[in-house]
């Protein structure tokens, strides 16, 4: 099954369309998805690092209300930023976010590409791929724990996904499976699938839109 899905373009396209159709019908109505821009998507990605949506959503909303744009965030004091972050944990995220806002404000515009986002404090390959694909439509595949789990099941990958080889393979598979015409929607669909259906425990396989492709 792995070889067929990765090497058969007709099968691959069918998988991509099934996933995207499901996403369009079942995606959660989240504020940063309504009219995606660099600021909102960036803030959402940092807030949701190591945090579930149901916990992070109110923090995101309060953050955007207090700092509606990158200039207001950059000019805020660190105490103001940390106060809004209180209770979310992993406070280095808030400090990095504040530092990054100053970086961006000093330049006068947001990074426009994946490589440019990697120069921003607190932004790694996953976050850079998410932002650049969702906002700039750059064909970059996201790989986090959810994606690793989905792809390892989909492709019947038996090696540990957190090993050196596993991490490399998962990135390669993610790039091969990416629907490059709509990379942002595809990436979000894959993450949504991992969050709502292909869960770590008790996956809801009967409702999986790509079950027929899964080995």
């Amino acid at each position: 099954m792995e070889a067929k899905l990765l090497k058969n373009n007709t099968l691959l396209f069918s998988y991509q369309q099934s996933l995207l159709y499901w996403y369009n019908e079942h995606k959660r109505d989240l504020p940063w998805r309504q009219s995606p821009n660099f600021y909102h998507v960036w803030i959402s990605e940092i807030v949701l690092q190591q945090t579930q949506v149901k916990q992070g959503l109110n923090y995101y909303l309060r953050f955007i209300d207090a700092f509606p744009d990158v200039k207001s965030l950059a000019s805020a004091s660190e105490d103001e930023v940390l106060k809004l972050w209180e209770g979310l944990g992993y406070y280095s995220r808030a400090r990095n976010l504040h530092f990054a806002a100053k970086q961006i404000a000093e330049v006068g515009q947001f990074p426009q590409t994946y490589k440019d986002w990697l120069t921003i404090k607190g932004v790694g390959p996953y976050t850079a791929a998410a932002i650049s694909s969702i906002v700039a439509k750059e064909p970059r595949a996201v790989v986090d724990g959810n994606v690793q789990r989905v792809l390892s099941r989909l492709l019947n990958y038996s090696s540990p996904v957190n090993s050196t080889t596993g991490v490399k393979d998962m990135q390669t598979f993610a790039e091969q499976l990416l629907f490059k015409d709509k990379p942002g929607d595809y990436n979000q669909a894959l993450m949504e699938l991992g969050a709502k259906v292909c869960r770590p425990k008790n996956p809801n396989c009967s409702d999986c839109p790509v079950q027929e492709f899964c080995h």
Side-chain angles (χ1 to χ4, degrees):
M1 176 60 76
E2 176 185 328
K4 288 182 181 179
L5 185 56
L6 292 174
K7 295 180 180 179
N8 185 316
N9 288 336
T10 300
L11 198 63
L12 175 60
F13 183 74
S14 181
Y15 151 78
Q16 293 166 334
Q17 295 309 300
S18 296
L19 181 60
L20 287 168
Y21 178 81
W22 171 83
Y23 176 69
N24 287 330
E25 293 293 314
H26 299 283
K27 64 183 176 183
R28 289 168 290 185
D29 183 18
L30 300 173
W32 54 86
R33 287 178 175 170
Q34 293 167 5
S35 297
N37 61 52
F38 282 123
Y39 185 65
H40 290 167
V41 173
W42 169 51
I43 297 296
S44 74
E45 288 296 331
I46 301 301
V47 168
L48 296 180
Q49 284 176 4
Q50 301 166 307
T51 303
Q52 293 185 342
V53 171
K54 62 183 178 181
Q55 180 188 3
L57 180 57
N58 285 334
Y59 281 91
Y60 168 85
L61 293 171
R62 289 199 295 268
F63 214 83
I64 294 299
D65 185 57
F67 310 120
D69 53 42
V70 71
K71 288 183 179 180
S72 59
L73 176 56
S75 61
S77 69
E78 184 176 287
D79 286 344
E80 289 177 301
V81 175
L82 291 176
K83 183 65 177 176
L84 275 179
W85 205 269
E86 206 167 76
L88 196 55
Y90 301 99
Y91 287 91
S92 61
R93 289 183 294 168
R95 293 187 177 92
N96 288 341
L97 189 70
H98 190 216
F99 184 94
K102 294 179 180 181
Q103 273 186 287
I104 295 168
E106 185 175 352
V107 173
Q109 68 173 12
F110 284 97
Q112 300 296 303
T113 67
Y114 170 84
K115 289 183 178 179
D116 288 342
W117 273 103
L118 287 176
T119 67
I120 299 300
K121 184 80 169 178
V123 174
Y126 166 81
T127 304
I131 297 170
S132 61
S133 67
I134 293 169
V135 183
K137 314 303 181 189
E138 188 174 344
R140 296 283 179 172
V142 300
V143 179
D144 67 351
N146 271 336
V147 172
Q148 287 178 332
R149 181 175 64 259
V150 173
L151 296 189
S152 66
R153 289 171 173 172
L154 182 70
L155 303 172
N156 194 27
Y157 186 80
S158 57
S159 298
V161 296
N162 59 352
S163 66
T164 301
T165 300
V167 169
K168 183 179 179 180
D169 286 345
M170 285 296 116
Q171 186 66 48
T172 299
F173 295 150
E175 290 169 3
Q176 289 175 305
L177 294 170
L178 178 67
F179 186 58
K180 294 180 175 59
D181 289 349
K182 292 184 177 180
D185 283 351
Y186 174 86
N187 281 332
Q188 291 180 95
L190 201 58
M191 291 186 285
E192 195 87 339
L193 186 69
K196 295 181 66 176
V197 178
C198 196
R199 301 181 294 253
K201 297 181 180 179
N202 303 315
N204 190 8
C205 296
S206 61
D207 286 343
C208 179
V210 293
Q211 185 186 22
E212 65 180 291
F213 307 99
C214 184
H215 198 55

